[in-house]
Amino acid sequence: MQRRLLLKTLASFAAAATVAPWGMAQTRPQLEVWKDPNCGCCKEWVDHLQANGFQVKVHDSGNAQARKRLGIPEQLGSCHTASIGGYAIEGHVPAADIHRLLKEKPKAVGLTVPGMPIGSPGMDAPIYGGRKDPYDVLLVLKDGGTRVYQAYPSKVSATSTNS
């Protein structure tokens, strides 16, 4: 009797284990990116997104057109534009902030990190020597205004000294 119960329990766990990976693969959010085909930081940002749970479809052209179509003001632009869940994502926005945006669902156009701040995802290659400049992720409001969604302060390298 106990053996039968044990076998049923093991069978239930095995069935659950085979269903879970399929279910998780279905829930990975898909992001569509428009970028320059020769931009290394754009590729690094895409790698960052994939490493943090996103499926990414990449277009190697059309960044400026996508930015305009999605409603990101030109002055908030960067080197790549993306779209996910009805939101625009402009520039080197960290994956954690995109996940938060999708969870909170604010009434907004999307998120932007204007320019190309060193230390942001995709701009954090070894060539920068661990440098992390401060930057803000901005929530782009429907009226074209912005507010700080997440601030990333500067981080000083452990090897620097105060003289």
Side-chain angles (χ1 to χ4, degrees):
M1 186 71 155
Q2 286 183 354
R3 181 177 170 180
R4 228 183 266 163
L5 179 61
L6 177 63
L7 289 174
K8 283 183 181 179
T9 302
L10 289 174
S12 295
F13 283 129
T18 60
V19 171
W22 176 82
M24 287 190 298
Q26 291 269 338
T27 61
R28 286 185 63 168
Q30 182 163 342
L31 192 117
E32 193 165 2
V33 178
W34 293 268
K35 67 175 197 63
D36 183 292
N38 302 311
C39 184
C41 69
C42 294
K43 182 190 176 316
E44 295 294 323
W45 184 69
V46 167
D47 292 346
H48 164 76
L49 294 175
Q50 291 171 329
N52 285 279
F54 290 97
Q55 291 180 356
V56 183
K57 179 178 181 180
V58 177
H59 303 278
D60 283 333
S61 64
N63 177 38
Q65 296 87 346
R67 182 184 311 120
K68 185 174 182 178
R69 184 178 70 253
L70 295 170
I72 297 291
E74 189 67 33
Q75 70 270 21
L76 300 177
S78 186
C79 57
H80 51 262
T81 303
S83 175
I84 186 167
Y87 292 105
I89 308 295
E90 180 69 24
H92 295 269
V93 177
D97 296 322
I98 300 170
H99 282 296
R100 178 180 156 207
L101 177 78
L102 296 173
K103 182 179 178 186
E104 293 178 354
K105 298 184 186 327
K107 291 181 181 178
V109 172
L111 298 175
T112 183
V113 173
M116 299 170 67
I118 295 175
S120 61
M123 292 294 295
D124 52 357
I127 192 172
Y128 300 113
R131 179 174 142 195
K132 293 190 181 287
D133 293 347
Y135 68 95
D136 292 330
V137 175
L138 304 176
L139 183 68
V140 181
L141 306 172
K142 299 253 184 199
D143 67 2
T146 62
R147 71 172 174 80
V148 174
Y149 193 69
Q150 182 67 49
Y152 290 89
S154 172
K155 292 187 179 175
V156 179
S157 172
T159 59
S160 68
T161 60
N162 293 339
S163 303

